[in-house]
Amino acid sequence: MEPKNSLFDTAVVGGQRLRNRIVLPPLTRSRADDDGVPTPLMEEYYRQRAGAGLVISEGTVIAPQATAYTRVPGLYSAEQVAAWRPVVEAAKREGAVVYAQLWHVGRQSHSSVQPDGLPPNGPSPIAITGYQYRSANGRIPYETPRELTTADIAEIVQAYGTAARNAVSAGFDGVELHAANGYLIDQFLNDGSNCRTDLYGGSLENRTRFLREVITELARHLPMDRIGVRLSPSSDWMDAHDSDKRTLYSTVVRQLNDFRIGYLHLVEPEIAGSTTVDRPADSVPTAELAALFDGVVIVTGGHDQASAERLLADGTADLVGFGRLFISNPDLPRRFQTQAPLEPLRPTGIYGGGPEGYTDYPSLAASGA
Ligand SMILES: Cc1cc2nc3c(=O)[nH]c(=O)nc-3n(C[C@H](O)[C@H](O)[C@H](O)COP(=O)(O)O)c2cc1C
């Protein structure tokens, strides 16, 4: 039987045609300046990887309080918006559709990077255990977050809206809401990090409220089908625990159906943040959640060309993301298409630094192959 779709078939997301089904997933690379302003080096990096049908930006913070680390870009100041424009334009000129991943880290931040020098905010005063914060002076324990008030929550929802408006103004085609990997939205969803007794905690209806409010706010600034949502339903990374992941995430996916968002981006169970691990015992199969979703599904995590083609052929995914492979192979679609060898990832320059390990990976054209 012929496969249903292949990586080189076109697809439509948010009314826009993608030239292939290959996605550059969000990858934090820490090359913005100290004020979260994108740099010309980032323009080169995204241009190199714009052979993907869909390019999703690295996690981009919606407010100064939303960050965990320096040199992560933002979308809250006029300077940031102006500096994103040439970056986005460079990738669009190469034919990619370009989305901004909107990010708030919640309790994964630290007082050392908070504007007011106080511990970060989270849904509940429950610190991350089992992991350590990467501070400028080495690894240190996470702090107990300050519990967000309902007024704080309303302010953050607004900040998501402002960031979405800024994303449109910077030229992005759409936004991806980062609701994965134990960051703020995920902290509200999981009962391991949310023990609130108000409208934002307790029942599933309440724990999913923040996510729904943010989506509603984003949709004031761009069409609903230009909004994607990223979930990591099985991941325990950064102490993201829920006592019933299957019920939680199937509820979330059904709610996303009601919104008619542009796409659902699922991270595979074998992924813990940026690394591959054993599948957690209580993992929820990607195919099960993908089947519940009515729209476009992107799947990312540990895939190569062959496994991605299988996901498309069996109907689990409509598009597939390649993270680490894209870091070391800027022209990954071309390499797939020509069956060219793949460059291995080098440990230097993954986070921060200059061109080394960032824009200096060879492309076939440049190497004359
Ligand atoms: C260096 C690095 C940075 C990452 N930054 C982000 C990020 O900003 N937002 C996000 O949602 N995921 C982030 N991820 C996770 C990737 O999007 C992806 O889910 C993960 O790498 C698994 O896919 P892969 O096996 O194809 O690399 C990052 C991963 C890596 C390796």
Side-chain angles (χ1 to χ4, degrees), residues 25-94:
L27 295 164
T28 292
R29 305 302 310 276
S30 308
R31 259 69 171 199
D33 75 9
D34 288 337
D35 296 319
V37 177
T39 54
L41 193 58
M42 289 168 62
E43 181 179 328
E44 174 64 6
Y45 169 81
Y46 283 102
R47 190 193 58 70
Q48 289 176 343
R49 287 160 184 77
L54 178 64
V55 164
I56 306 170
S57 82
E58 61 208 276
T60 299
V61 295
I62 61 157
Q65 296 81 1
T67 198
Y69 302 108
T70 55
R71 301 196 61 191
V72 161
L75 264 172
Y76 52 83
S77 76
E79 217 187 335
Q80 291 164 348
V81 175
W84 267 118
R85 277 191 195 114
V87 178
V88 178
E89 185 47 38
K92 283 169 101 172
R93 231 185 352 254
E94 298 291 321

XYZ file of all heavy atoms in Angstrom, residues 25-94:
535
model
N 11.452 22.130 15.221
C 10.733 22.354 16.478
C 11.444 23.424 17.305
O 12.569 23.799 16.984
C 10.805 20.975 17.157
C 12.090 20.391 16.681
C 12.319 20.936 15.280
N 10.797 23.915 18.340
C 11.430 24.965 19.152
C 12.711 24.474 19.811
O 12.722 23.416 20.442
C 10.363 25.306 20.198
C 9.396 24.169 20.180
C 9.454 23.581 18.814
N 13.785 25.234 19.653
C 15.091 24.861 20.202
C 15.745 26.096 20.817
O 16.162 27.009 20.090
C 15.997 24.310 19.088
C 15.543 23.009 18.429
C 16.294 22.789 17.115
C 15.755 21.815 19.364
N 15.820 26.142 22.123
C 16.503 27.228 22.823
C 17.987 27.164 22.509
O 18.615 26.122 22.679
C 16.283 27.079 24.344
O 14.906 27.324 24.606
C 17.129 28.061 25.137
N 18.561 28.276 22.031
C 19.984 28.274 21.681
C 20.749 29.408 22.361
O 21.959 29.516 22.214
C 20.151 28.341 20.150
C 19.407 27.252 19.363
C 19.803 25.823 19.750
N 21.230 25.601 19.773
C 21.983 25.310 18.722
N 21.425 25.202 17.534
N 23.287 25.116 18.836
N 20.003 30.300 23.046
C 20.634 31.344 23.882
C 21.633 32.210 23.118
O 22.771 32.383 23.536
C 21.307 30.690 25.097
O 20.394 29.846 25.769
N 21.175 32.743 21.978
C 22.023 33.670 21.209
C 21.413 35.061 21.113
O 21.864 35.878 20.305
C 22.246 33.131 19.794
C 23.609 32.457 19.581
C 23.763 31.194 20.306
N 24.965 30.463 19.931
C 25.127 29.160 20.170
N 24.164 28.467 20.777
N 26.241 28.557 19.832
N 20.373 35.348 21.894
C 19.885 36.734 21.938
C 20.867 37.532 22.802
O 21.795 36.962 23.391
C 18.480 36.768 22.529
N 20.671 38.855 22.884
C 21.560 39.611 23.762
C 21.023 39.572 25.202
O 20.031 38.894 25.486
C 21.812 41.039 23.219
C 20.625 41.969 23.410
O 19.646 41.595 24.110
O 20.667 43.084 22.866
N 21.682 40.289 26.090
C 21.302 40.206 27.503
C 19.927 40.801 27.794
O 19.361 40.567 28.866
C 22.367 40.895 28.377
C 23.649 40.068 28.428
O 23.573 38.841 28.199
O 24.728 40.660 28.667
N 19.391 41.589 26.834
C 18.032 42.127 27.002
C 17.001 41.282 26.251
O 15.868 41.729 26.035
C 17.981 43.574 26.493
C 18.868 44.484 27.330
O 18.881 44.327 28.567
O 19.570 45.334 26.733
N 17.386 40.094 25.827
C 16.437 39.230 25.109
C 16.135 39.737 23.703
O 15.098 39.411 23.132
N 17.049 40.506 23.138
C 16.855 41.040 21.785
C 17.550 40.105 20.786
O 18.735 39.801 20.945
C 17.451 42.473 21.665
C 17.320 42.997 20.236
C 16.772 43.413 22.663
N 16.804 39.621 19.757
C 17.427 38.743 18.756
C 18.619 39.416 18.075
O 18.657 40.644 17.930
C 16.297 38.502 17.756
C 15.056 38.672 18.571
C 15.366 39.774 19.544
N 19.578 38.587 17.677
C 20.823 39.093 17.077
C 20.924 38.673 15.605
O 20.253 37.720 15.176
C 22.029 38.498 17.830
O 21.896 37.064 17.835
C 22.091 38.995 19.264
N 21.786 39.353 14.824
C 21.974 38.981 13.414
C 22.411 37.515 13.251
O 22.090 36.872 12.247
C 23.060 39.943 12.926
C 22.924 41.139 13.822
C 22.508 40.602 15.158
N 23.114 36.973 14.244
C 23.528 35.572 14.170
C 22.292 34.647 14.122
O 22.303 33.609 13.446
C 24.378 35.256 15.410
C 25.171 33.955 15.413
C 26.131 33.882 14.227
C 25.941 33.822 16.734
N 21.256 35.039 14.825
C 20.022 34.244 14.814
C 19.374 34.263 13.434
O 18.760 33.283 13.011
C 19.036 34.762 15.877
C 19.493 34.454 17.294
S 18.550 35.352 18.553
C 16.898 34.728 18.277
N 19.522 35.395 12.733
C 18.973 35.498 11.373
C 19.610 34.427 10.488
O 18.936 33.709 9.750
C 19.262 36.914 10.850
C 18.741 37.189 9.491
C 19.064 38.627 9.072
O 19.119 39.535 9.934
O 19.267 38.832 7.867
N 20.923 34.307 10.601
C 21.660 33.325 9.805
C 21.225 31.896 10.181
O 20.988 31.048 9.322
C 23.167 33.530 10.052
C 24.084 32.507 9.409
C 24.021 32.545 7.884
O 23.360 33.424 7.330
O 24.631 31.655 7.244
N 21.084 31.644 11.471
C 20.711 30.313 11.966
C 19.343 29.878 11.410
O 19.193 28.766 10.881
C 20.689 30.361 13.491
C 20.068 29.166 14.173
C 20.782 27.986 14.370
C 18.750 29.207 14.641
C 20.206 26.894 15.008
C 18.171 28.127 15.284
C 18.906 26.973 15.467
O 18.340 25.895 16.095
N 18.357 30.752 11.510
C 17.018 30.380 11.029
C 16.974 30.303 9.504
O 16.297 29.443 8.943
C 15.955 31.346 11.580
C 15.621 31.047 13.032
C 16.128 31.810 14.065
C 14.812 29.957 13.369
C 15.850 31.515 15.401
C 14.523 29.652 14.688
C 15.035 30.437 15.699
O 14.755 30.124 17.008
N 17.701 31.186 8.838
C 17.736 31.124 7.372
C 18.293 29.771 6.923
O 17.746 29.130 6.032
C 18.601 32.276 6.814
C 18.488 32.440 5.296
C 19.556 33.344 4.726
N 20.913 32.885 5.018
C 21.489 31.806 4.480
N 20.830 31.071 3.603
N 22.719 31.454 4.818
N 19.338 29.318 7.613
C 19.948 28.028 7.246
C 18.957 26.864 7.376
O 19.075 25.870 6.677
C 21.139 27.741 8.175
C 22.356 28.606 7.963
C 23.441 28.308 9.003
O 23.179 27.704 10.039
N 24.662 28.740 8.710
N 18.025 26.967 8.316
C 17.119 25.851 8.614
C 15.719 26.017 8.014
O 14.795 25.289 8.356
C 17.050 25.647 10.144
C 18.362 25.029 10.637
C 18.628 25.192 12.100
N 19.955 24.627 12.392
C 21.117 25.251 12.104
N 21.114 26.455 11.562
N 22.272 24.666 12.372
N 15.582 27.009 7.114
C 14.268 27.340 6.566
C 13.830 26.416 5.433
O 12.819 26.669 4.778
C 14.252 28.793 6.108
N 14.538 25.298 5.248
C 14.055 24.277 4.323
C 12.908 23.483 4.929
O 12.198 22.746 4.229
N 12.698 23.629 6.228
C 11.547 22.997 6.885
C 10.277 23.688 6.401
O 10.262 24.907 6.222
C 11.666 23.141 8.405
N 9.228 22.918 6.215
C 7.948 23.531 5.837
C 7.497 24.501 6.913
O 7.034 25.611 6.642
N 7.636 24.061 8.170
C 7.253 24.902 9.304
C 8.453 25.096 10.217
O 9.056 24.117 10.674
C 6.100 24.244 10.094
C 5.627 25.000 11.349
C 5.018 26.355 10.998
C 4.586 24.159 12.116
N 8.776 26.361 10.465
C 9.856 26.724 11.393
C 9.193 27.278 12.653
O 8.412 28.230 12.577
C 10.770 27.798 10.758
C 11.650 28.465 11.810
C 11.621 27.185 9.652
N 9.483 26.670 13.795
C 8.961 27.199 15.060
C 10.150 27.790 15.810
O 11.200 27.154 15.928
C 8.280 26.091 15.896
C 7.207 25.378 15.067
C 7.652 26.696 17.164
C 6.654 24.111 15.725
N 9.987 29.003 16.293
C 11.109 29.668 16.968
C 11.436 28.948 18.259
O 10.617 28.224 18.827
C 10.771 31.127 17.281
O 10.001 31.217 18.476
N 12.626 29.194 18.739
C 12.999 28.783 20.095
C 12.008 29.394 21.094
O 11.343 30.405 20.783
C 14.405 29.301 20.387
C 14.515 30.825 20.337
C 15.928 31.261 19.953
O 16.803 31.342 20.817
O 16.136 31.528 18.746
N 11.917 28.824 22.278
C 11.056 29.373 23.313
C 11.348 30.857 23.486
O 12.505 31.245 23.668
N 10.309 31.688 23.379
C 10.464 33.144 23.395
C 9.594 33.702 24.521
O 8.377 33.457 24.539
C 10.070 33.703 22.012
O 10.954 33.121 21.049
C 10.168 35.207 21.949
N 10.221 34.403 25.453
C 9.485 34.720 26.685
C 8.555 35.920 26.515
O 8.847 36.862 25.783
C 10.429 34.883 27.900
C 11.099 33.543 28.204
C 11.463 35.969 27.705
N 7.443 35.837 27.232
C 6.371 36.828 27.075
C 6.538 38.021 28.017
O 5.801 39.000 27.900
C 4.996 36.174 27.317
C 4.902 35.616 28.754
C 4.728 35.069 26.289
C 3.490 35.459 29.250
N 7.473 37.919 28.960
C 7.675 38.990 29.942
C 9.045 38.773 30.586
O 9.562 37.649 30.567
C 6.586 38.918 31.021
N 9.615 39.824 31.192
C 10.933 39.632 31.833
C 10.881 38.555 32.922
O 11.850 37.814 33.111
C 11.241 41.011 32.441
C 10.367 41.982 31.722
C 9.163 41.230 31.254
N 9.751 38.435 33.611
C 9.611 37.452 34.698
C 9.498 36.021 34.177
O 9.600 35.073 34.943
C 8.335 37.719 35.520
C 8.298 39.029 36.253
C 7.900 40.202 35.341
O 7.632 40.023 34.160
N 7.894 41.402 35.904
N 9.252 35.880 32.870
C 8.914 34.565 32.315
C 10.132 33.716 32.006
O 10.004 32.559 31.625
C 8.087 34.755 31.040
N 11.330 34.281 32.179
C 12.531 33.575 31.729
C 13.211 32.792 32.851
O 13.033 33.092 34.032
C 13.536 34.567 31.098
O 14.467 33.839 30.308
C 14.275 35.377 32.149
N 13.980 31.794 32.459
C 14.792 31.063 33.438
C 16.266 31.355 33.231
O 17.064 31.150 34.140
C 14.546 29.563 33.312
N 16.621 31.805 32.029
C 18.039 31.919 31.686
C 18.304 33.194 30.892
O 17.403 33.726 30.243
C 18.479 30.700 30.852
C 18.250 29.406 31.581
C 17.243 28.535 31.204
C 19.033 29.084 32.682
C 17.016 27.355 31.909
C 18.814 27.913 33.391
C 17.801 27.051 32.999
O 17.578 25.905 33.698
N 19.541 33.649 30.927
C 19.922 34.819 30.131
C 20.037 34.421 28.658
O 20.152 33.242 28.317
C 21.286 35.371 30.588
O 22.222 34.308 30.536
C 21.210 35.918 32.006
N 19.990 35.429 27.815
C 20.162 35.309 26.358
C 19.044 34.537 25.657
O 19.194 34.097 24.511
C 21.546 34.749 26.003
C 22.679 35.636 26.548
C 24.008 35.341 25.897
N 24.004 35.569 24.461
C 24.989 35.174 23.652
N 26.035 34.551 24.144
N 24.929 35.401 22.365
N 17.924 34.347 26.377
C 16.725 33.795 25.742
C 15.965 34.985 25.143
O 15.834 36.011 25.807
C 15.875 33.058 26.807
C 14.445 32.868 26.345
C 16.516 31.720 27.168
N 15.493 34.875 23.887
C 14.809 36.035 23.311
C 13.423 36.262 23.917
O 12.818 35.346 24.479
C 14.687 35.659 21.830
C 14.674 34.176 21.814
C 15.541 33.736 22.955
N 12.957 37.496 23.780
C 11.617 37.837 24.253
C 10.775 38.435 23.151
O 11.258 38.660 22.025
N 9.496 38.654 23.478
C 8.571 39.345 22.563
C 7.735 40.332 23.364
O 6.527 40.390 23.196
C 7.672 38.331 21.849
C 8.094 37.870 20.456
C 7.213 36.734 19.951
C 8.080 39.023 19.434
N 8.403 41.039 24.286
C 7.645 41.991 25.097
C 8.108 43.433 24.931
O 7.439 44.347 25.376
C 7.672 41.595 26.585
C 9.071 41.361 27.150
C 9.850 42.428 27.591
C 9.598 40.078 27.208
C 11.136 42.217 28.082
C 10.888 39.856 27.707
C 11.640 40.929 28.132
O 12.906 40.726 28.610
N 9.284 43.671 24.284
C 9.728 45.063 24.117
C 9.758 45.421 22.627
O 9.908 44.550 21.762
C 11.122 45.259 24.724
O 12.124 44.706 23.887
N 9.646 46.729 22.367
C 9.658 47.211 20.973
C 10.984 46.838 20.302
O 11.020 46.488 19.112
C 9.457 48.722 20.950
N 12.047 46.880 21.076
C 13.361 46.539 20.526
C 13.410 45.069 20.086
O 13.982 44.732 19.047
C 14.385 46.768 21.640
C 15.691 47.314 21.177
C 16.702 47.346 22.335
O 16.283 47.396 23.516
O 17.893 47.282 22.017
N 12.822 44.208 20.896
C 12.785 42.778 20.541
C 11.980 42.561 19.262
O 12.403 41.821 18.360
C 12.182 41.963 21.687
C 13.074 41.897 22.924
C 12.320 41.427 24.157
O 11.089 41.349 24.166
N 13.060 41.114 25.213
N 10.824 43.217 19.184
C 9.976 43.055 17.996
C 10.741 43.496 16.749
O 10.782 42.785 15.735
C 8.657 43.857 18.149
C 7.826 43.779 16.869
C 7.856 43.342 19.348
N 11.387 44.648 16.843
C 12.129 45.181 15.683
C 13.246 44.221 15.283
O 13.500 44.004 14.094
C 12.694 46.556 16.013
N 13.901 43.615 16.263
C 15.029 42.734 15.953
C 14.566 41.357 15.469
O 15.319 40.657 14.780
C 15.929 42.597 17.177
N 13.344 40.956 15.820
C 12.822 39.688 15.292
C 12.519 39.809 13.793
O 12.608 38.831 13.049
C 11.530 39.266 16.017
C 11.735 38.343 17.183
C 11.413 38.595 18.496
C 12.262 37.004 17.164
N 11.719 37.509 19.278
C 12.239 36.515 18.492
C 12.759 36.173 16.154
C 12.695 35.234 18.827
C 13.214 34.893 16.487
C 13.175 34.447 17.806
N 12.119 41.029 13.348
C 11.631 41.170 11.957
C 12.600 40.598 10.917
O 12.184 39.754 10.114
C 11.303 42.635 11.649
C 9.925 43.001 12.137
C 9.435 44.355 11.633
N 8.299 44.713 12.465
C 8.258 45.730 13.322
N 9.285 46.551 13.421
N 7.192 45.928 14.063
N 13.883 40.995 10.923
C 14.777 40.422 9.894
C 15.001 38.920 10.065
O 15.225 38.212 9.076
C 16.096 41.193 10.082
C 16.004 41.852 11.415
C 14.548 42.033 11.726
N 14.897 38.419 11.291
C 15.080 36.975 11.534
C 13.935 36.211 10.877
O 14.136 35.247 10.126
C 15.131 36.680 13.060
C 15.277 35.185 13.306
C 16.248 37.464 13.735
N 12.710 36.669 11.153
C 11.526 36.002 10.607
C 11.521 36.130 9.086
O 11.265 35.165 8.360
C 10.242 36.627 11.218
C 8.988 35.989 10.629
C 10.249 36.500 12.741
N 11.825 37.317 8.612
C 11.814 37.585 7.177
C 12.803 36.676 6.453
O 12.510 36.150 5.378
C 12.130 39.080 6.951
C 12.043 39.560 5.521
C 10.781 39.122 4.792
O 9.709 39.103 5.431
O 10.883 38.762 3.598
N 13.967 36.451 7.067
C 14.993 35.616 6.429
C 14.468 34.196 6.211
O 14.670 33.610 5.146
C 16.254 35.593 7.288
N 13.774 33.659 7.212
C 13.239 32.291 7.077
C 12.065 32.258 6.100
O 11.913 31.309 5.322
C 12.824 31.757 8.442
N 11.245 33.309 6.116
C 10.100 33.339 5.195
C 10.558 33.470 3.738
O 9.984 32.869 2.833
C 9.173 34.504 5.551
C 8.302 34.215 6.779
C 7.602 35.454 7.255
C 6.183 35.556 6.863
N 5.500 36.695 7.523
N 11.600 34.261 3.549
C 12.124 34.444 2.191
C 12.564 33.120 1.580
O 12.483 32.909 0.381
C 13.305 35.415 2.217
C 13.171 36.534 1.223
C 14.370 37.468 1.119
N 15.403 37.298 2.087
C 15.630 38.116 3.116
N 14.857 39.156 3.307
N 16.626 37.895 3.941
N 13.018 32.210 2.427
C 13.440 30.880 1.942
C 12.247 29.956 1.731
O 12.410 28.804 1.347
C 14.393 30.229 2.950
C 15.687 30.984 3.176
C 16.604 30.960 1.961
O 16.685 29.914 1.307
O 17.220 32.011 1.673
